[in-house]
mmCIF file of all heavy atoms in Angstrom:
data_model
loop_
_atom_site.group_PDB
_atom_site.id
_atom_site.type_symbol
_atom_site.label_atom_id
_atom_site.label_comp_id
_atom_site.label_asym_id
_atom_site.label_seq_id
_atom_site.Cartn_x
_atom_site.Cartn_y
_atom_site.Cartn_z
ATOM 1 N N VAL A 93 -1.049 21.842 -53.435
ATOM 2 C CA VAL A 93 -0.161 20.675 -53.112
ATOM 3 C C VAL A 93 -0.506 20.265 -51.675
ATOM 4 O O VAL A 93 -0.575 21.057 -50.758
ATOM 5 C CB VAL A 93 1.352 21.108 -53.149
ATOM 6 C CG1 VAL A 93 2.283 19.931 -52.839
ATOM 7 C CG2 VAL A 93 1.708 21.662 -54.492
ATOM 8 N N ASN A 94 -0.843 18.983 -51.553
ATOM 9 C CA ASN A 94 -1.360 18.522 -50.290
ATOM 10 C C ASN A 94 -0.179 18.122 -49.344
ATOM 11 O O ASN A 94 0.907 18.315 -49.592
ATOM 12 C CB ASN A 94 -2.436 17.408 -50.441
ATOM 13 C CG ASN A 94 -1.874 16.123 -50.893
ATOM 14 O OD1 ASN A 94 -0.642 15.989 -50.891
ATOM 15 N ND2 ASN A 94 -2.658 15.243 -51.402
ATOM 16 N N ASP A 95 -0.673 17.647 -48.119
ATOM 17 C CA ASP A 95 0.360 17.340 -47.099
ATOM 18 C C ASP A 95 1.229 16.178 -47.488
ATOM 19 O O ASP A 95 2.163 15.850 -46.758
ATOM 20 C CB ASP A 95 -0.318 17.221 -45.734
ATOM 21 C CG ASP A 95 -1.511 16.254 -45.773
ATOM 22 O OD1 ASP A 95 -2.112 16.094 -46.911
ATOM 23 O OD2 ASP A 95 -1.829 15.676 -44.820
ATOM 24 N N GLU A 96 0.842 15.451 -48.565
ATOM 25 C CA GLU A 96 1.658 14.312 -49.002
ATOM 26 C C GLU A 96 2.571 14.710 -50.111
ATOM 27 O O GLU A 96 3.324 13.828 -50.703
ATOM 28 C CB GLU A 96 0.803 13.172 -49.497
ATOM 29 C CG GLU A 96 -0.380 12.739 -48.590
ATOM 30 C CD GLU A 96 0.208 11.920 -47.438
ATOM 31 O OE1 GLU A 96 1.176 11.230 -47.615
ATOM 32 O OE2 GLU A 96 -0.406 12.008 -46.300
ATOM 33 N N GLY A 97 2.570 16.079 -50.504
ATOM 34 C CA GLY A 97 3.434 16.523 -51.526
ATOM 35 C C GLY A 97 2.820 16.181 -52.967
ATOM 36 O O GLY A 97 3.516 16.168 -53.981
ATOM 37 N N GLU A 98 1.466 15.929 -53.048
ATOM 38 C CA GLU A 98 0.821 15.660 -54.316
ATOM 39 C C GLU A 98 -0.073 16.785 -54.709
ATOM 40 O O GLU A 98 -0.666 17.469 -53.816
ATOM 41 C CB GLU A 98 -0.010 14.290 -54.230
ATOM 42 C CG GLU A 98 0.849 13.199 -53.898
ATOM 43 C CD GLU A 98 0.101 12.098 -53.273
ATOM 44 O OE1 GLU A 98 -1.136 12.373 -52.775
ATOM 45 O OE2 GLU A 98 0.549 10.989 -53.032
ATOM 46 N N GLU A 100 -3.532 18.291 -55.900
ATOM 47 C CA GLU A 100 -4.922 17.900 -55.451
ATOM 48 C C GLU A 100 -5.800 19.039 -55.980
ATOM 49 O O GLU A 100 -5.490 20.222 -55.742
ATOM 50 C CB GLU A 100 -4.884 17.784 -53.930
ATOM 51 C CG GLU A 100 -6.254 17.448 -53.296
ATOM 52 C CD GLU A 100 -6.162 17.427 -51.819
ATOM 53 O OE1 GLU A 100 -5.469 16.456 -51.259
ATOM 54 O OE2 GLU A 100 -6.622 18.283 -51.129
ATOM 55 N N GLU A 297 5.466 17.343 -36.423
ATOM 56 C CA GLU A 297 5.646 16.850 -37.728
ATOM 57 C C GLU A 297 6.638 17.788 -38.502
ATOM 58 O O GLU A 297 6.672 19.016 -38.247
ATOM 59 C CB GLU A 297 4.325 16.717 -38.533
ATOM 60 C CG GLU A 297 4.374 15.465 -39.455
ATOM 61 C CD GLU A 297 3.026 15.403 -40.069
ATOM 62 O OE1 GLU A 297 2.620 16.128 -40.946
ATOM 63 O OE2 GLU A 297 2.343 14.366 -39.746
ATOM 64 N N GLY A 351 9.742 14.727 -48.095
ATOM 65 C CA GLY A 351 8.316 15.138 -48.335
ATOM 66 C C GLY A 351 8.272 16.081 -49.663
ATOM 67 O O GLY A 351 7.321 16.275 -50.156
ATOM 68 N N ALA A 542 -9.211 16.656 -40.149
ATOM 69 C CA ALA A 542 -8.918 17.858 -40.703
ATOM 70 C C ALA A 542 -7.579 17.876 -41.528
ATOM 71 O O ALA A 542 -7.136 18.820 -42.066
ATOM 72 C CB ALA A 542 -8.834 18.890 -39.670
ATOM 73 N N ARG A 543 -6.927 16.639 -41.583
ATOM 74 C CA ARG A 543 -5.696 16.498 -42.123
ATOM 75 C C ARG A 543 -4.606 17.558 -41.603
ATOM 76 O O ARG A 543 -4.072 18.365 -42.389
ATOM 77 C CB ARG A 543 -5.722 16.528 -43.690
ATOM 78 C CG ARG A 543 -6.210 15.215 -44.289
ATOM 79 C CD ARG A 543 -5.942 15.122 -45.772
ATOM 80 N NE ARG A 543 -6.845 15.930 -46.519
ATOM 81 C CZ ARG A 543 -6.661 16.295 -47.827
ATOM 82 N NH1 ARG A 543 -5.631 16.034 -48.428
ATOM 83 N NH2 ARG A 543 -7.552 17.032 -48.351
ATOM 84 N N MET A 544 -4.395 17.540 -40.338
ATOM 85 C CA MET A 544 -3.431 18.372 -39.707
ATOM 86 C C MET A 544 -2.049 17.973 -40.186
ATOM 87 O O MET A 544 -1.785 16.822 -40.407
ATOM 88 C CB MET A 544 -3.587 18.246 -38.228
ATOM 89 C CG MET A 544 -2.651 19.260 -37.484
ATOM 90 S SD MET A 544 -3.173 19.561 -35.796
ATOM 91 C CE MET A 544 -2.814 18.026 -34.945
ATOM 92 N N ASN A 545 -1.236 19.059 -40.400
ATOM 93 C CA ASN A 545 0.117 18.762 -40.906
ATOM 94 C C ASN A 545 1.076 19.792 -40.409
ATOM 95 O O ASN A 545 0.737 20.741 -39.749
ATOM 96 C CB ASN A 545 0.106 18.749 -42.455
ATOM 97 C CG ASN A 545 -0.389 20.031 -42.945
ATOM 98 O OD1 ASN A 545 0.279 21.100 -42.836
ATOM 99 N ND2 ASN A 545 -1.536 19.993 -43.482
ATOM 100 N N GLY A 546 2.466 19.553 -40.712
ATOM 101 C CA GLY A 546 3.427 20.422 -40.199
ATOM 102 C C GLY A 546 3.723 21.583 -40.927
ATOM 103 O O GLY A 546 4.478 22.503 -40.591
ATOM 104 N N LEU A 547 3.059 21.742 -42.171
ATOM 105 C CA LEU A 547 3.339 22.852 -43.075
ATOM 106 C C LEU A 547 2.961 24.129 -42.414
ATOM 107 O O LEU A 547 1.818 24.344 -42.100
ATOM 108 C CB LEU A 547 2.599 22.696 -44.415
ATOM 109 C CG LEU A 547 2.852 21.319 -45.126
ATOM 110 C CD1 LEU A 547 1.985 21.194 -46.316
ATOM 111 C CD2 LEU A 547 4.391 21.241 -45.523
ATOM 112 N N MET A 553 -5.362 20.857 -43.857
ATOM 113 C CA MET A 553 -5.857 20.778 -45.302
ATOM 114 C C MET A 553 -7.264 20.984 -45.318
ATOM 115 O O MET A 553 -7.794 21.609 -46.226
ATOM 116 C CB MET A 553 -5.460 19.436 -45.923
ATOM 117 C CG MET A 553 -3.942 19.158 -46.166
ATOM 118 S SD MET A 553 -3.021 20.483 -47.044
ATOM 119 C CE MET A 553 -3.746 20.180 -48.685
#
Side-chain angles (χ1 to χ4, degrees):
Chain A
V93 181
N94 69 16
D95 50 334
E96 308 286 330
E98 296 153 351
E100 176 181 293
E297 213 176 72
R543 283 196 283 164
M544 184 159 71
N545 57 68
L547 305 173
M553 292 305 289

